[in-house]
C-alpha cells in the first residue's frame, strides 16, 4: 500500500477529514459530525506520517482483537505514543495484504463512530449503513 492510497481510504468515510495537530509531518484522520448547526469535537481514527521510507499507521482496535492481531502478525504492535490496549501500530511494508489494512482502517473508523451519539451517527449516515447491511439478503 502506498501513502496516497492510505490517505484516500481514510478520507473516503463520511465526516472524515485530515488534520495536522502535531505538525505538517503527521497526518491525523478524524471524524466529526455536525448536529443542530453546531460542530462537535472531532475524534481521531488513524494517524500516519505517510512516509514511504518508514510507512505505518496507528489504528484504533477492539482490545481482544488487537492482541490476536499482534500475536499473528509481527508488523502489528502497540501504537507508539498511544494507549496500547486500544491502538495498534501497523507497519505498511507490504507484508500485510492491502485488503486487511483497509478492513483495519474501516474497523477503526467504526469503533470511533460507534462512540458518537445516535444523532451524530445518523448525521454521518452510519446508522443507516449498519441497518441496511443487517437487513440485506445475499
Amino acid at each position: 500500500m502506498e501513502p496516497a492510497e492510505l490517505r484516500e481510504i481514510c478520507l473516503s468515510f463520511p465526516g472524515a477529514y485530515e488534520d495536522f495537530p502535531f505538525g505538517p509531518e503527521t497526518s491525523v484522520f478524524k471524524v466529526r459530525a455536525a448536529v443542530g448547526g453546531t460542530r462537535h469535537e472531532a475524534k481521531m481514527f488513524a494517524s500516519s506520517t505517510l512516509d514511504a521510507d518508514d510507512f505505518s499507521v496507528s489504528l484504533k482496535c477492539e482490545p481482544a482483537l488487537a492482541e490476536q492481531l499482534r500475536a499473528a502478525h509481527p508488523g502489528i504492535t502497540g501504537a507508539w505514543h498511544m494507549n496500547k490496549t486500544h491502538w495498534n501500530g501497523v507497519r505498511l511494508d507490504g507484508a500485510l495484504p492491502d485488503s486487511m489494512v483497509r478492513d483495519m482502517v474501516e474497523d477503526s473508523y467504526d469503533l470511533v463512530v460507534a462512540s458518537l451519539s445516535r444523532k451524530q451517527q445518523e448525521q454521518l449516515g452510519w446508522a443507516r449503513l449498519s441497518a441496511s447491511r443487517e437487513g440485506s439478503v445475499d
Side-chain angles (χ1 to χ4, degrees), residues 1 10 14 19 23 29 32 35-36 41 49 60 69 84 89 111 123-124 127 129:
M1 177 171 293
C10 289
D19 195 11
F29 298 95
R32 176 174 51 207
V35 178
E41 186 174 327
T49 59
K60 192 164 182 93
L69 290 169
K84 289 160 184 47
L111 279 170
Q123 192 269 332
L124 291 167
L129 290 175

Side-chain angles (χ1 to χ4, degrees), residues 47-65:
S47 175
S48 177
T49 59
L50 298 177
D51 178 0
D53 294 330
D54 186 26
F55 191 27
S56 65
V57 62
S58 296
L59 298 168
K60 192 164 182 93
C61 190
E62 199 279 326
L65 178 58

Side-chain angles (χ1 to χ4, degrees), residues 103-122:
D103 287 346
M104 288 188 290
V105 172
E106 183 175 1
D107 288 348
S108 181
Y109 174 86
D110 285 343
L111 279 170
V112 170
V113 174
S115 73
L116 300 176
S117 71
R118 181 178 302 187
K119 192 168 192 165
Q120 290 171 307
Q121 292 171 0
E122 289 172 356

Side-chain angles (χ1 to χ4, degrees), residues 19-82:
D19 195 11
F20 300 91
F22 307 120
E25 66 282 344
T26 304
S27 292
V28 176
F29 298 95
K30 298 178 179 181
V31 60
R32 176 174 51 207
V35 178
T38 61
R39 298 295 264 179
H40 291 267
E41 186 174 327
K43 293 192 175 196
M44 178 175 76
F45 67 91
S47 175
S48 177
T49 59
L50 298 177
D51 178 0
D53 294 330
D54 186 26
F55 191 27
S56 65
V57 62
S58 296
L59 298 168
K60 192 164 182 93
C61 190
E62 199 279 326
L65 178 58
E67 287 183 27
Q68 292 172 359
L69 290 169
R70 292 174 198 167
H73 304 281
I76 301 176
T77 61
W80 187 60
H81 283 298
M82 304 293 280

Side-chain angles (χ1 to χ4, degrees), residues 126-138:
W126 187 76
R128 287 189 304 271
L129 290 175
S130 297
S132 68
R133 283 187 212 146
E134 292 170 6
S136 67
V137 178
D138 293 71

